[in-house]
């Protein structure tokens, strides 16, 4: 079983409009709702790849009820912890004319100490069943900035490999707890290390505590620095579409490759193919299965 943790879950809304023009009124042509937050997106892709997956984190209020109702038919197990505050929403406005997407993210609910304690109890129980853990996304208000570092230490104590995908100070604190893998994007990596050159930055991040680093470089694919070597995987051609969830699909590719014990080049090819297929999908957090199968053998992986 793979466990994904989303402390700041969200109800993802995708609005499609003919063209997005500032200072005007828009007629939305269609609306798609999905249970969201980075870890839930990861779980959905893992389940589509055939992995048993459990999601945990927090959900509350009317928005949380909608999220859990949308989650129920999916092939993932819901282990979300109730919270008094309302789950946030994210809104992606997809412009049909340009193919670009504009994103709006609400803050999450305040998590009280009793809710955090309840989550930790559940997390410890779930670790006993897990083959790997993904810790994903931002921290909602009320949770201390070292929360991911605490969860990494608990995972390591249980002997469960852990992937961390967050940013800012939670990433800085978390990397010091020595996660097995971190998956920053280029900006997050630069903020962490102070280095803008990706290869130098990934190696610096390893020195700071990460066992391996896989950095998302947008159209340039994924650059990974690992104990076994350094590689860059690139998509066969640039694509345009909705990038929401592409990084989460890359995480699913990396994490599934970890539990399947694939060589790093195969993990990276899977991550890039899934991310690219997610950009091509019409709704946030989904991937185009046909595009994935077509892209996977065409991803270029080279030693960096």
């Amino acid at each position: 079983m793979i466990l994904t943790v989303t402390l700041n879950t969200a109800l993802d809304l995708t609005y499609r409009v003919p063209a997005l023009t500032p200072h005007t009124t828009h007629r939305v042509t269609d609306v798609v709702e999905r249970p969201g937050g980075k870890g839930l997106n990861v779980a959905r892709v893992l389940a589509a790849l055939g992995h048993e997956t459990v999601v945990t984190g927090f959900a509350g209020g009317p928005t949380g009820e909608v999220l859990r109702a949308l989650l129920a038919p999916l092939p993932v197990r819901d282990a979300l912890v109730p919270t008094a505050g309302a789950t946030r929403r994210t809104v992606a406005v997809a412009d049909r004319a340009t193919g670009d997407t504009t994103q709006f993210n609400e803050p999450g609910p305040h998590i009280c100490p009793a809710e955090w304690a309840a989550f930790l109890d559940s997390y410890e129980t779930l670790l006993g069943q897990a083959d790997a853990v993904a810790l994903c996304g931002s921290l909602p208000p009320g949770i201390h900035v070292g929360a991911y570092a605490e969860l990494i230490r608990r995972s390591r104590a249980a002997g469960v490999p852990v992937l961390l995908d967050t940013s800012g100070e939670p990433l800085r604190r978390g990397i010091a707890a020595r996660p097995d893998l971190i998956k920053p994007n280029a900006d997050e990596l630069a903020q962490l290390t102070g280095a803008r050159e990706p290869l130098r930055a990934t190696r610096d991040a390893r020195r700071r505590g990460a066992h391996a680093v896989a950095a998302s470089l947008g159209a340039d694919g994924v650059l990974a620095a690992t104990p076994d070597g350094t590689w860059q995987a690139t998509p066969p051609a640039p694509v345009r579409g909705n990038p929401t969830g592409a990084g989460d699909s890359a995480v699913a590719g990396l994490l599934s490759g970890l539990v399947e014990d694939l060589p790093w080049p195969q993990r990276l090819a899977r991550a890039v193919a899934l991310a690219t297929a997610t950009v091509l999908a019409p709704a946030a957090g989904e991937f185009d299965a046909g595009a994935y199968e077509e892209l996977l053998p065409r991803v270029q992986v080279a030693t960096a």
Side-chain angles (χ1 to χ4, degrees), residues 45-73:
V45 176
L46 286 169
L49 294 173
H51 288 274
E52 179 187 359
T53 310
V54 176
V55 297
T56 189
F58 296 100
T63 312
E65 292 178 4
V66 174
L67 182 150
R68 299 186 85 158
L70 292 170
L71 193 61

Side-chain angles (χ1 to χ4, degrees), residues 13-21 26-32 90-104 240-244 278-284:
L13 305 174
T14 301
Y15 293 162
R16 299 188 70 82
V17 298
L20 181 62
T21 306
H26 296 78
R27 184 176 298 278
V28 177
T29 55
D30 61 273
V31 181
V32 178
T90 69
V91 179
V93 182
D95 184 329
R96 290 184 183 274
T98 65
D100 293 331
T101 301
T102 301
Q103 187 84 16
F104 300 89
R240 301 195 69 172
N242 184 351
T244 304
T278 300
V279 173
L280 294 171

Side-chain angles (χ1 to χ4, degrees), residues 13 16 48 101 111 149 168 192 211 234 244-245 250 273 287 304:
L13 305 174
R16 299 188 70 82
T101 301
I111 305 300
L192 174 69
H211 187 66
T234 54
T244 304
F287 73 95

Side-chain angles (χ1 to χ4, degrees), residues 3 13 36 49 72 78 81 100 108 117 121 126 135 147 158 162 167 187 222 237 261 277 281 298 303:
L3 175 65
L13 305 174
L49 294 173
D78 177 354
V81 175
D100 293 331
D121 287 344
L126 292 166
L135 307 174
V162 57
S167 60
D187 288 340
V222 175
D261 199 28
R298 298 173 55 214
T303 302

Side-chain angles (χ1 to χ4, degrees), residues 7-252:
L7 298 176
N8 210 7
T9 57
L11 179 64
D12 285 343
L13 305 174
T14 301
Y15 293 162
R16 299 188 70 82
V17 298
L20 181 62
T21 306
H23 315 300
T24 64
T25 299
H26 296 78
R27 184 176 298 278
V28 177
T29 55
D30 61 273
V31 181
V32 178
E33 289 186 323
R34 292 286 186 275
K38 294 178 73 63
L40 269 67
N41 290 338
V42 171
R44 189 162 43 239
V45 176
L46 286 169
L49 294 173
H51 288 274
E52 179 187 359
T53 310
V54 176
V55 297
T56 189
F58 296 100
T63 312
E65 292 178 4
V66 174
L67 182 150
R68 299 186 85 158
L70 292 170
L71 193 61
L74 301 180
V76 300
R77 179 154 64 91
D78 177 354
L80 295 169
V81 175
T83 182
T87 296
R88 67 191 177 118
R89 295 166 297 179
T90 69
V91 179
V93 182
D95 184 329
R96 290 184 183 274
T98 65
D100 293 331
T101 301
T102 301
Q103 187 84 16
F104 300 89
N105 295 334
E106 295 180 353
H110 187 277
I111 305 300
C112 72
E115 291 166 342
W116 177 241
F119 168 80
L120 290 177
D121 287 344
S122 176
Y123 182 70
E124 288 284 357
T125 300
L126 292 166
L127 278 179
Q129 310 160 31
D131 298 310
V133 177
L135 307 174
C136 303
S138 60
L139 299 177
I143 294 185
H144 64 95
V145 73
Y148 282 137
E150 180 179 356
L151 298 182
I152 291 166
R153 287 191 291 268
R154 290 175 182 245
S155 181
R156 288 177 58 83
V160 180
V162 57
L163 180 153
L164 176 63
D165 183 16
T166 189
S167 60
E169 192 61 21
L171 174 58
R172 192 178 304 278
R173 299 282 188 96
I175 199 173
R178 306 188 67 80
D180 294 271
L181 175 62
I182 63 170
K183 205 288 298 171
N185 62 33
D187 288 340
E188 292 162 352
L189 190 61
Q191 291 169 11
L192 174 69
T193 65
R196 282 284 172 186
E197 199 284 310
L199 185 56
R200 177 181 175 184
T202 54
R203 288 171 172 164
D204 186 10
R206 284 200 67 215
R207 287 192 292 269
R208 290 168 184 258
H211 187 66
V213 179
S216 293
L217 304 180
D220 293 326
V222 175
L223 174 66
T226 82
D228 300 324
T230 304
W231 295 271
Q232 184 163 353
T234 54
V239 298
R240 301 195 69 172
N242 184 351
T244 304
D248 306 328
S249 292
V251 168

